[in-house]
Amino acid sequence: MRQFLILFKKEWMETLRNHKWLWLPVVFMILGLTQPLTSYYFADIMESFGGLPEGAVFDMPQPMAGEVLAGTLSQFSQVGMLVVVLAYMGTVSQERTSGALSMVLVKPVSHEAYLLAKWVQMVLMTAIAFGLGFLLSAYYTYLLIGEFSIGTAASGAMVYLVWLIFAVSLVLFLSVVLTKQAAVAFLSLGTLLVLSFLSMYAPELFAWSPGALSGHSQHLFMTNEVDDGFWGSLIVSGVLIAALLLISIGVFKKSELVVKDQ
């Protein structure tokens, strides 16, 4: 436990040095603020571009609060997910390449503590960034669009957070397996994109997939009800997160032992 706390503190110090604690939440906050503002002022924005016949009025019904919150998650799934992957693609591979990993493991440091400290820090930082962005979106949605169920919003946000934790776990796993950061980013984004597309275009077959979590969250926002496959998707996601973490530790142990033997 003491090793874990020391390594966890090291990860936070690294986050402070590279300013990840600042720019990652800022990105999510900007994305969270954008959706309610554009939804509220969309008609004005369209009219300002012109192109309408004289006397014509651009009339578009204002979206419901749940639709705006669902749109916020769409923003997070596109730009936010990209930023998370880019932020953590070098979590292990960069330290391995720079030689910092060898220096850490020369000390009596367990592989489990090393990876768990990284994973917990990644999850917490991502959760903080997402939480701030979603809270800002919810606040302005309430001010500009209308009221919504706080319980439903919180539940939907927690479901989406599981999707982010799965993404972070996948990035960590690939960072352990691969040495090139570009390969980690490409495979991470590709896998997440494929899972999302399969869940979107074949929902009957992939309602249990982690990629369906975003859709489940959005459905919860708009209907206040869970749809088919909701619990299966949560359970499968939890199992896969645990599996990715355990496999990462196993692969990491084996790879570093091989390096030491050489």
Side-chain angles (χ1 to χ4, degrees):
M1 186 64 180
R2 184 170 179 271
Q3 281 188 357
F4 170 81
L5 293 176
I6 293 173
L7 291 168
F8 182 67
K9 182 179 179 180
K10 166 189 167 294
E11 294 302 320
W12 276 110
M13 294 299 295
E14 182 64 26
T15 299
L16 292 175
R17 281 195 295 269
N18 58 30
H19 303 292
K20 200 175 294 180
W21 65 272
L22 176 63
W23 60 261
L24 191 58
V26 166
V27 169
F28 273 85
M29 291 172 72
I30 292 173
L31 293 174
L33 181 61
T34 300
Q35 190 64 32
L37 289 180
T38 54
S39 298
Y40 184 75
Y41 292 108
F42 184 73
D44 295 334
I45 294 172
M46 293 301 296
E47 288 183 4
S48 67
F49 281 105
L52 294 176
E54 186 176 351
V57 178
F58 186 85
D59 187 17
M60 182 177 179
Q62 184 171 285
M64 302 293 290
E67 294 174 332
V68 176
L69 293 178
T72 299
L73 294 190
S74 295
Q75 296 274 8
F76 291 160
S77 293
Q78 296 170 17
V79 182
M81 192 67 77
L82 172 64
V83 171
V84 168
V85 171
L86 294 179
Y88 293 116
M89 63 183 181
T91 300
V92 176
S93 56
Q94 184 177 15
E95 291 192 357
R96 182 185 287 127
T97 303
S98 66
L101 178 58
S102 300
M103 295 176 62
V104 172
L105 294 180
V106 164
K107 304 173 184 179
V109 173
S110 72
H111 297 79
E112 292 87 350
Y114 176 82
L115 279 188
L116 283 174
K118 286 187 174 296
W119 182 79
V120 172
Q121 192 278 331
M122 291 164 66
V123 168
L124 285 178
M125 190 70 253
T126 303
I128 290 171
F130 165 69
L132 290 173
F134 186 79
L135 283 174
L136 196 61
S137 176
Y139 175 71
Y140 277 95
T141 297
Y142 175 78
L143 287 181
L144 301 176
I145 307 299
E147 297 182 357
F148 54 86
S149 169
I150 295 178
T152 300
S155 299
M158 292 301 295
V159 172
Y160 187 81
L161 181 59
V162 176
W163 171 233
L164 287 176
I165 294 174
F166 172 80
V168 165
S169 304
L170 177 64
V171 173
L172 178 63
F173 167 72
L174 291 174
S175 186
V176 169
V177 174
L178 304 173
T179 57
K180 301 294 184 181
Q181 295 185 50
V184 174
F186 178 79
L187 286 178
S188 297
L189 291 172
T191 302
L192 296 171
L193 190 62
V194 168
L195 289 174
S196 297
F197 276 179
L198 289 175
S199 300
M200 185 183 303
Y201 294 108
E204 298 83 3
L205 297 176
F206 295 95
W208 50 267
S209 167
L213 287 172
S214 179
H216 289 315
S217 298
Q218 295 178 36
H219 186 272
L220 188 59
F221 287 145
M222 292 186 287
T223 66
N224 291 331
E225 297 177 353
V226 298
D227 54 349
D228 295 338
F230 175 82
W231 294 110
S233 182
L234 274 181
I235 293 171
V236 169
S237 299
V239 171
L240 288 177
I241 289 169
L244 284 170
L245 192 55
L246 291 174
I247 295 172
S248 297
I249 293 173
V251 172
F252 184 63
K253 274 185 176 181
K254 186 175 180 180
S255 63
E256 294 309 314
L257 285 174
V258 170
V259 171
K260 286 183 179 180
D261 291 340
Q262 292 176 347

Coordinates of all heavy atoms in Angstrom, one line a residue, residues 104-160:
V104 N 12.7 3.3 -12.3 CA 11.7 3.1 -11.3 C 11.7 1.7 -10.8 O 11.7 1.4 -9.6 CB 10.3 3.5 -11.8 CG1 9.2 3.1 -10.8 CG2 10.2 5.0 -12.1
L105 N 11.8 0.7 -11.8 CA 11.7 -0.7 -11.4 C 13.0 -1.2 -10.8 O 13.1 -2.4 -10.4 CB 11.3 -1.5 -12.7 CG 9.9 -1.2 -13.2 CD1 9.6 -2.1 -14.4 CD2 8.9 -1.5 -12.1
V106 N 14.1 -0.5 -10.9 CA 15.4 -0.9 -10.3 C 15.1 -0.9 -8.7 O 15.7 -1.8 -8.0 CB 16.5 0.1 -10.6 CG1 17.7 -0.1 -9.6 CG2 17.0 -0.1 -12.0
K107 N 14.3 0.0 -8.3 CA 14.0 0.0 -6.8 C 13.0 -1.2 -6.6 O 12.4 -1.7 -7.5 CB 13.3 1.3 -6.5 CG 14.2 2.5 -6.8 CD 13.4 3.8 -6.7 CE 14.3 5.0 -7.1 NZ 13.6 6.3 -7.0
P108 N 12.8 -1.5 -5.3 CA 11.9 -2.6 -5.0 C 10.4 -2.2 -5.1 O 9.7 -2.0 -4.2 CB 12.2 -2.9 -3.5 CG 12.8 -1.7 -3.0 CD 13.5 -1.0 -4.1
V109 N 10.0 -2.0 -6.4 CA 8.7 -1.6 -6.7 C 7.9 -2.7 -7.4 O 8.4 -3.3 -8.4 CB 8.7 -0.3 -7.7 CG1 7.3 0.0 -8.1 CG2 9.4 0.9 -6.9
S110 N 6.8 -3.0 -6.9 CA 6.0 -4.1 -7.6 C 5.3 -3.6 -8.8 O 5.0 -2.4 -9.0 CB 4.9 -4.6 -6.6 OG 3.9 -3.6 -6.5
H111 N 5.2 -4.5 -9.8 CA 4.6 -4.1 -11.1 C 3.1 -3.7 -10.9 O 2.6 -2.9 -11.5 CB 4.7 -5.3 -12.0 CG 6.1 -5.7 -12.4 ND1 6.9 -6.4 -11.6 CD2 6.8 -5.4 -13.5 CE1 8.1 -6.6 -12.2 NE2 8.1 -5.9 -13.3
E112 N 2.5 -4.4 -9.9 CA 1.1 -4.1 -9.7 C 0.9 -2.7 -9.2 O 0.0 -2.0 -9.6 CB 0.5 -5.1 -8.6 CG 0.4 -6.6 -9.1 CD 1.7 -7.4 -8.9 OE1 2.7 -6.7 -8.5 OE2 1.6 -8.6 -9.1
A113 N 1.7 -2.3 -8.2 CA 1.6 -1.0 -7.6 C 1.9 0.1 -8.7 O 1.2 1.1 -8.7 CB 2.6 -0.8 -6.5
Y114 N 2.8 -0.2 -9.6 CA 3.2 0.8 -10.6 C 2.0 1.0 -11.6 O 1.7 2.2 -11.8 CB 4.4 0.2 -11.4 CG 4.8 1.1 -12.5 CD1 5.6 2.2 -12.4 CD2 4.4 0.7 -13.8 CE1 6.0 3.0 -13.5 CE2 4.8 1.5 -14.9 CZ 5.6 2.6 -14.7 OH 6.0 3.4 -15.8
L115 N 1.4 -0.1 -12.0 CA 0.3 0.1 -13.0 C -0.9 0.6 -12.4 O -1.7 1.4 -12.9 CB 0.1 -1.2 -13.7 CG 1.0 -1.6 -14.9 CD1 0.5 -2.8 -15.7 CD2 1.2 -0.4 -15.9
L116 N -1.2 0.1 -11.2 CA -2.4 0.5 -10.5 C -2.4 2.0 -10.1 O -3.4 2.7 -10.2 CB -2.7 -0.3 -9.2 CG -3.2 -1.7 -9.4 CD1 -3.2 -2.5 -8.0 CD2 -4.6 -1.7 -10.0
A117 N -1.2 2.5 -9.8 CA -1.1 3.9 -9.5 C -1.4 4.7 -10.7 O -2.1 5.8 -10.7 CB 0.3 4.2 -8.9
K118 N -0.9 4.3 -11.8 CA -1.2 5.0 -13.1 C -2.6 4.9 -13.5 O -3.3 5.9 -13.9 CB -0.3 4.4 -14.2 CG 1.2 4.7 -14.2 CD 1.9 4.3 -15.4 CE 3.3 4.8 -15.3 NZ 3.4 6.2 -15.4
W119 N -3.2 3.7 -13.3 CA -4.6 3.5 -13.7 C -5.6 4.4 -12.8 O -6.5 5.1 -13.4 CB -5.0 2.1 -13.6 CG -6.4 1.8 -14.0 CD1 -6.9 1.7 -15.3 CD2 -7.5 1.6 -13.2 NE1 -8.3 1.4 -15.3 CE2 -8.7 1.3 -14.0 CE3 -7.7 1.6 -11.8 CZ2 -9.9 1.1 -13.5 CZ3 -9.0 1.3 -11.3 CH2 -10.1 1.1 -12.1
V120 N -5.3 4.4 -11.5 CA -6.2 5.1 -10.6 C -6.1 6.6 -10.9 O -7.1 7.4 -11.0 CB -5.8 4.8 -9.2 CG1 -6.6 5.8 -8.2 CG2 -6.2 3.4 -8.8
Q121 N -4.8 7.1 -11.2 CA -4.7 8.5 -11.5 C -5.3 8.9 -12.8 O -6.0 9.9 -12.9 CB -3.2 8.8 -11.5 CG -2.8 10.3 -11.5 CD -2.9 10.9 -12.9 OE1 -2.7 10.3 -13.9 NE2 -3.2 12.2 -13.0
M122 N -5.2 8.0 -13.8 CA -5.9 8.3 -15.1 C -7.4 8.4 -14.9 O -8.0 9.2 -15.5 CB -5.5 7.2 -16.1 CG -4.0 7.2 -16.5 SD -3.5 5.7 -17.3 CE -4.5 5.7 -18.8
V123 N -7.9 7.4 -14.2 CA -9.4 7.4 -14.0 C -9.8 8.6 -13.2 O -10.8 9.3 -13.6 CB -9.8 6.1 -13.2 CG1 -11.2 6.2 -12.8 CG2 -9.6 4.9 -14.1
L124 N -9.1 9.0 -12.2 CA -9.5 10.1 -11.4 C -9.5 11.4 -12.2 O -10.4 12.3 -12.1 CB -8.7 10.2 -10.1 CG -9.0 9.3 -9.0 CD1 -8.0 9.4 -7.8 CD2 -10.4 9.4 -8.5
M125 N -8.4 11.6 -12.9 CA -8.2 12.8 -13.7 C -9.3 12.9 -14.8 O -9.8 14.0 -15.0 CB -6.8 12.8 -14.3 CG -6.4 14.2 -15.0 SD -6.1 15.5 -13.8 CE -7.6 16.5 -14.1
T126 N -9.5 11.8 -15.4 CA -10.6 11.8 -16.5 C -12.0 12.0 -15.9 O -12.8 12.8 -16.4 CB -10.6 10.4 -17.2 OG1 -9.3 10.2 -17.8 CG2 -11.6 10.4 -18.3
A127 N -12.2 11.4 -14.7 CA -13.5 11.6 -14.0 C -13.7 13.1 -13.6 O -14.8 13.7 -13.7 CB -13.6 10.7 -12.8
I128 N -12.6 13.7 -13.1 CA -12.7 15.1 -12.7 C -13.0 16.0 -13.9 O -13.9 16.9 -13.9 CB -11.4 15.6 -12.0 CG1 -11.3 14.9 -10.7 CG2 -11.3 17.1 -11.9 CD1 -9.9 15.1 -10.0
A129 N -12.3 15.8 -15.0 CA -12.5 16.6 -16.3 C -13.9 16.4 -16.8 O -14.6 17.4 -17.1 CB -11.4 16.1 -17.3
F130 N -14.3 15.1 -16.9 CA -15.7 14.9 -17.3 C -16.7 15.5 -16.4 O -17.7 16.1 -16.9 CB -15.9 13.4 -17.5 CG -17.3 13.0 -17.6 CD1 -18.0 13.2 -18.7 CD2 -18.0 12.3 -16.6 CE1 -19.4 12.9 -18.9 CE2 -19.3 11.9 -16.7 CZ -20.0 12.2 -17.8
G131 N -16.5 15.3 -15.1 CA -17.5 15.8 -14.1 C -17.6 17.3 -14.2 O -18.8 17.9 -14.2
L132 N -16.5 18.1 -14.4 CA -16.6 19.5 -14.5 C -17.3 19.9 -15.8 O -18.1 20.8 -15.8 CB -15.2 20.1 -14.4 CG -14.5 20.0 -13.1 CD1 -13.0 20.5 -13.2 CD2 -15.2 20.9 -12.0
G133 N -17.0 19.2 -16.9 CA -17.6 19.5 -18.1 C -19.1 19.3 -18.1 O -19.9 20.1 -18.6
F134 N -19.5 18.1 -17.5 CA -20.9 17.8 -17.5 C -21.7 18.7 -16.6 O -22.8 19.1 -16.9 CB -21.1 16.3 -17.1 CG -22.5 15.9 -17.2 CD1 -23.0 15.5 -18.4 CD2 -23.3 15.8 -16.0 CE1 -24.4 15.1 -18.4 CE2 -24.6 15.4 -16.1 CZ -25.1 15.0 -17.3
L135 N -21.1 19.1 -15.4 CA -21.7 20.0 -14.5 C -22.0 21.3 -15.1 O -23.0 21.9 -15.0 CB -20.9 20.1 -13.2 CG -21.0 19.0 -12.2 CD1 -20.0 19.2 -11.1 CD2 -22.4 18.8 -11.7
L136 N -21.0 21.8 -15.9 CA -21.2 23.1 -16.6 C -22.3 23.0 -17.6 O -23.1 23.9 -17.8 CB -19.8 23.5 -17.2 CG -19.7 25.0 -17.7 CD1 -19.8 25.9 -16.5 CD2 -18.4 25.2 -18.4
S137 N -22.3 21.9 -18.3 CA -23.4 21.7 -19.3 C -24.7 21.6 -18.7 O -25.7 22.3 -19.1 CB -23.1 20.4 -20.1 OG -24.1 20.2 -21.0
A138 N -24.8 20.9 -17.6 CA -26.1 20.8 -16.9 C -26.6 22.1 -16.3 O -27.8 22.4 -16.4 CB -25.9 19.7 -15.7
Y139 N -25.6 22.9 -15.8 CA -26.0 24.2 -15.2 C -26.6 25.1 -16.3 O -27.6 25.7 -16.1 CB -24.7 24.8 -14.6 CG -25.0 26.2 -14.1 CD1 -25.7 26.4 -12.9 CD2 -24.4 27.3 -14.7 CE1 -25.9 27.7 -12.4 CE2 -24.6 28.6 -14.2 CZ -25.4 28.8 -13.1 OH -25.6 30.1 -12.6
Y140 N -25.9 25.2 -17.4 CA -26.4 26.1 -18.5 C -27.6 25.6 -19.2 O -28.4 26.3 -19.7 CB -25.3 26.4 -19.5 CG -24.4 27.6 -19.0 CD1 -23.2 27.3 -18.3 CD2 -24.7 28.9 -19.2 CE1 -22.4 28.3 -17.8 CE2 -24.0 29.9 -18.7 CZ -22.8 29.6 -18.0 OH -22.0 30.7 -17.5
T141 N -27.7 24.2 -19.2 CA -28.9 23.6 -19.8 C -30.1 24.0 -18.9 O -31.2 24.4 -19.4 CB -28.8 22.1 -19.8 OG1 -27.7 21.8 -20.7 CG2 -30.1 21.5 -20.3
Y142 N -29.9 24.0 -17.6 CA -31.0 24.4 -16.7 C -31.4 25.9 -16.8 O -32.5 26.2 -16.8 CB -30.6 24.1 -15.2 CG -31.5 24.6 -14.2 CD1 -32.7 23.9 -13.9 CD2 -31.3 25.8 -13.5 CE1 -33.6 24.3 -12.9 CE2 -32.2 26.2 -12.5 CZ -33.3 25.5 -12.2 OH -34.2 25.9 -11.3
L143 N -30.3 26.7 -17.0 CA -30.6 28.1 -17.1 C -31.3 28.5 -18.4 O -32.2 29.3 -18.5 CB -29.3 28.9 -17.0 CG -28.6 29.0 -15.6 CD1 -27.4 29.9 -15.7 CD2 -29.6 29.7 -14.6
L144 N -30.8 27.9 -19.5 CA -31.2 28.3 -20.8 C -32.3 27.5 -21.4 O -33.2 28.0 -22.2 CB -30.0 28.3 -21.8 CG -28.8 29.2 -21.4 CD1 -27.7 29.0 -22.4 CD2 -29.2 30.7 -21.4
I145 N -32.3 26.2 -21.1 CA -33.3 25.3 -21.8 C -34.5 24.9 -20.9 O -35.6 25.1 -21.3 CB -32.6 24.0 -22.3 CG1 -31.3 24.4 -23.1 CG2 -33.5 23.1 -23.0 CD1 -31.6 25.1 -24.4
G146 N -34.2 24.5 -19.7 CA -35.3 24.1 -18.8 C -34.8 23.1 -17.8 O -33.7 22.7 -17.7
E147 N -35.8 22.7 -17.0 CA -35.5 21.8 -15.9 C -35.3 20.4 -16.4 O -35.8 20.0 -17.4 CB -36.6 21.9 -14.8 CG -36.7 23.2 -14.2 CD -37.8 23.2 -13.1 OE1 -38.5 22.2 -12.9 OE2 -38.0 24.3 -12.4
F148 N -34.7 19.6 -15.6 CA -34.5 18.2 -15.8 C -34.3 17.4 -14.5 O -34.1 18.1 -13.5 CB -33.3 17.9 -16.7 CG -32.0 18.5 -16.2 CD1 -31.2 17.8 -15.3 CD2 -31.6 19.8 -16.6 CE1 -30.0 18.4 -14.8 CE2 -30.4 20.3 -16.2 CZ -29.6 19.6 -15.3
S149 N -34.5 16.1 -14.5 CA -34.3 15.3 -13.3 C -32.8 15.2 -12.9 O -32.0 14.7 -13.7 CB -34.9 13.9 -13.5 OG -34.5 13.1 -12.5
I150 N -32.5 15.7 -11.8 CA -31.1 15.6 -11.3 C -30.7 14.2 -11.1 O -29.5 13.8 -11.5 CB -30.9 16.4 -10.0 CG1 -31.2 17.9 -10.2 CG2 -29.5 16.2 -9.4 CD1 -31.1 18.7 -8.9
G151 N -31.6 13.4 -10.6 CA -31.3 11.9 -10.5 C -31.0 11.3 -11.8 O -30.0 10.5 -11.9
T152 N -31.8 11.6 -12.8 CA -31.6 11.0 -14.1 C -30.3 11.4 -14.7 O -29.5 10.7 -15.3 CB -32.7 11.3 -15.0 OG1 -33.9 10.8 -14.5 CG2 -32.5 10.7 -16.4
A153 N -30.0 12.8 -14.6 CA -28.8 13.3 -15.1 C -27.5 12.7 -14.5 O -26.6 12.3 -15.1 CB -28.7 14.8 -14.9
A154 N -27.6 12.5 -13.1 CA -26.5 11.9 -12.4 C -26.3 10.5 -12.8 O -25.2 10.0 -13.0 CB -26.7 12.0 -10.9
S155 N -27.4 9.7 -13.0 CA -27.3 8.3 -13.4 C -26.7 8.2 -14.8 O -25.8 7.4 -15.0 CB -28.7 7.7 -13.3 OG -29.2 7.7 -12.0
G156 N -27.2 9.0 -15.7 CA -26.7 9.0 -17.1 C -25.2 9.3 -17.1 O -24.4 8.7 -17.9
A157 N -24.8 10.3 -16.3 CA -23.4 10.7 -16.3 C -22.5 9.6 -15.7 O -21.4 9.3 -16.2 CB -23.2 12.0 -15.4
M158 N -23.0 8.9 -14.7 CA -22.2 7.8 -14.1 C -22.1 6.6 -15.2 O -21.0 6.0 -15.2 CB -22.9 7.3 -12.9 CG -22.9 8.2 -11.7 SD -21.2 8.7 -11.2 CE -20.5 7.1 -10.7
V159 N -23.1 6.4 -15.9 CA -23.1 5.3 -16.9 C -22.0 5.7 -18.0 O -21.2 4.9 -18.4 CB -24.4 5.1 -17.6 CG1 -24.3 4.2 -18.8 CG2 -25.4 4.6 -16.6
Y160 N -22.0 7.0 -18.4 CA -21.1 7.4 -19.4 C -19.7 7.4 -18.9 O -18.7 7.1 -19.6 CB -21.4 8.8 -19.9 CG -20.5 9.3 -21.1 CD1 -20.8 8.8 -22.4 CD2 -19.4 10.0 -20.9 CE1 -20.1 9.2 -23.4 CE2 -18.6 10.4 -21.9 CZ -18.9 10.0 -23.2 OH -18.1 10.4 -24.3

